[in-house]
Amino acid sequence: GKWKNKERVLIFSSRGINFRTRHLMQDLRTLMPHSKADTKMDRKDQLFVINEVCEMKNCNKCIFFEAKKKQDLYMWLSNTPQGPSAKFLVQNVHTLAELKMTGNCLRGSRPLLSFDPIFDREPHYALLKELFIQIFGTPQYHPKSQPFVDHVFTFTITDERIWFRNYQIIEEDASLVEIGPRFVLNLIKIFQGSFGGPTLYENPHYQSPNMHRRLLRLSVAAKFREKQQVKEVQKIKKKGTKVLVEEDPTEVVFETPAEEKPVEIQLVKPESKPIVKDKKKLRKIQRKKQKKLFRTEGS
């Protein structure tokens, strides 16, 4: 057959990404034979420059990983150059090398795309579904692809997030075994243009990583403040005047007075015992005296 669907995806990132993001990016390039690579983009460059890079690489789709503060990872999915584009916060990243899974698939094989039923109910999810199909779906008869379908890309919506999983299809019983990679996409905004433009949708449930870290710090500080207040209250209670309980007149009813013993006065001084420092010497002396007595009696 002829290669009609000319979808090409550019996958690259900005400078400052960590090793986990680099491995994830390489895994996506391995699983998507219709993808292309490029050098890392400088942080000072504006995002609309990516449209020119895609045009030079002859790509009409783009996956761009943006790193901030060396700990937060953002993913851009865009249809260049007209749009639309979506920005996600990437969480819980696990790569192929990290996950020790038994699944495996043929390199360059075409995947099946499985979507949650919620993608057909909400309009913004329907837009993302079409974007996922065009980006992650390997075109038929692509020169680098294989004419086999042996793995599934699943997109599931749970807790207002999109969970990506990759499973192998086992031929014997058609069961699924996870291959990897896996990650979670937290939608931030959907833009009309490519890497910018009017905002079509903004996620009301999204919480920025800076705000999340701030709330964690505030919760720890609140717990510490509460402990200090408890300690101060305990100190005040200890310093406070103790309430004296009135004497109960019935407490003495069952008390029996003890008999008075006569006082004995010792008039004679007690005999002083000889102070012997070494008891062994005393025993030797007593033995000698006894031997002398036996001798005198025997004579």
Side-chain angles (χ1 to χ4, degrees):
K2 291 184 179 180
W3 176 31
K4 297 180 181 179
N5 185 10
K6 302 287 185 177
E7 296 287 351
R8 299 182 184 89
V9 184
L10 179 64
I11 302 176
F12 72 120
S13 67
S14 64
R15 296 193 181 277
I17 61 172
N18 54 10
F19 71 97
R20 194 186 298 272
T21 307
R22 188 172 66 252
H23 283 263
L24 174 64
M25 187 170 57
Q26 191 61 39
D27 293 342
L28 290 178
R29 289 173 182 168
T30 306
L31 293 171
M32 300 164 63
H34 61 293
S35 63
K36 290 187 177 182
D38 195 20
T39 57
K40 295 179 181 178
M41 195 179 75
D42 197 357
R43 294 180 183 177
K44 297 179 182 178
D45 295 339
Q46 299 295 327
L47 291 177
F48 62 83
V49 179
I50 301 174
N51 296 324
E52 299 178 3
V53 178
C54 291
E55 187 178 355
M56 289 188 292
K57 288 285 183 178
N58 195 17
C59 296
N60 51 3
K61 299 290 185 296
C62 180
I63 299 177
F64 178 68
F65 292 95
E66 185 180 7
K68 291 185 178 180
K69 294 187 176 181
K70 296 184 179 180
Q71 54 184 345
D72 301 330
L73 178 63
Y74 298 91
M75 178 192 285
W76 286 83
L77 300 179
S78 176
N79 179 26
T80 57
Q82 288 85 13
S85 60
K87 185 179 181 182
F88 301 91
L89 175 67
V90 186
Q91 299 170 327
N92 301 335
V93 177
H94 297 278
T95 59
L96 280 169
E98 181 182 353
L99 294 174
K100 296 179 181 178
M101 297 184 178
T102 57
N104 195 3
C105 66
L106 184 66
R107 185 184 178 94
S109 60
R110 300 179 63 220
L112 291 174
L113 301 182
S114 174
F115 291 93
D116 197 285
I118 305 175
F119 277 97
D120 298 326
R121 300 173 191 169
E122 301 291 337
H124 58 281
Y125 283 138
L127 177 62
L128 291 177
K129 179 182 178 180
E130 186 62 31
L131 197 61
F132 287 146
I133 290 173
Q134 295 183 15
I135 290 178
F136 289 96
T138 303
Q140 194 175 10
Y141 305 118
H142 191 277
K144 293 184 180 179
S145 66
Q146 300 290 337
F148 303 104
V149 177
D150 59 352
H151 63 287
V152 185
F153 288 162
T154 61
F155 298 89
T156 311
I157 297 174
T158 307
D159 194 20
E160 304 296 334
R161 291 170 174 82
I162 301 172
W163 300 65
F164 176 85
R165 296 288 184 272
N166 182 20
Y167 296 97
Q168 177 198 1
I169 304 172
I170 300 176
E171 297 180 0
E172 288 79 10
D173 53 354
S175 60
L176 299 179
V177 179
E178 188 172 356
I179 305 171
R182 58 162 67 167
F183 53 87
V184 179
L185 299 176
N186 190 0
L187 178 63
I188 303 174
K189 284 183 180 181
I190 299 176
F191 300 96
Q192 184 177 354
S194 178
F195 296 97
T199 303
L200 298 179
Y201 176 78
E202 185 174 358
N203 188 6
H205 306 284
Y206 171 72
Q207 188 182 65
S208 65
N210 292 331
M211 181 60 67
H212 181 67
R213 287 190 288 267
R214 181 174 177 271
L215 292 176
L216 289 177
R217 289 195 299 269
L218 289 176
S219 64
V220 173
K223 288 180 181 178
F224 179 76
R225 211 177 297 116
E226 186 178 355
K227 288 183 180 178
Q228 294 296 326
Q229 290 176 357
V230 170
K231 288 182 181 178
E232 290 177 0
V233 170
Q234 290 176 352
K235 286 181 182 178
I236 293 170
K237 285 183 179 179
K238 288 180 181 179
K239 289 180 181 178
T241 56
K242 297 181 180 179
V243 180
L244 297 176
V245 182
E246 297 180 358
E247 293 183 0
D248 190 4
T250 60
E251 287 182 356
V252 199
V253 174
F254 298 100
E255 290 183 359
T256 54
E259 295 181 358
E260 294 182 358
K261 295 181 179 181
V263 180
E264 295 181 357
I265 300 172
Q266 190 174 2
L267 300 175
V268 183
K269 184 179 179 182
E271 295 181 358
S272 59
K273 295 180 180 180
I275 300 171
V276 181
K277 293 183 180 179
D278 193 356
K279 293 182 179 180
K280 291 183 179 180
K281 286 184 179 181
L282 180 62
R283 289 173 185 170
K284 288 179 181 180
I285 293 168
Q286 289 177 355
R287 287 174 188 169
K288 286 180 181 180
K289 287 180 179 180
Q290 288 176 358
K291 285 180 181 179
K292 286 180 181 180
L293 288 172
F294 283 130
R295 287 173 186 172
T296 53
E297 289 176 358
S299 60

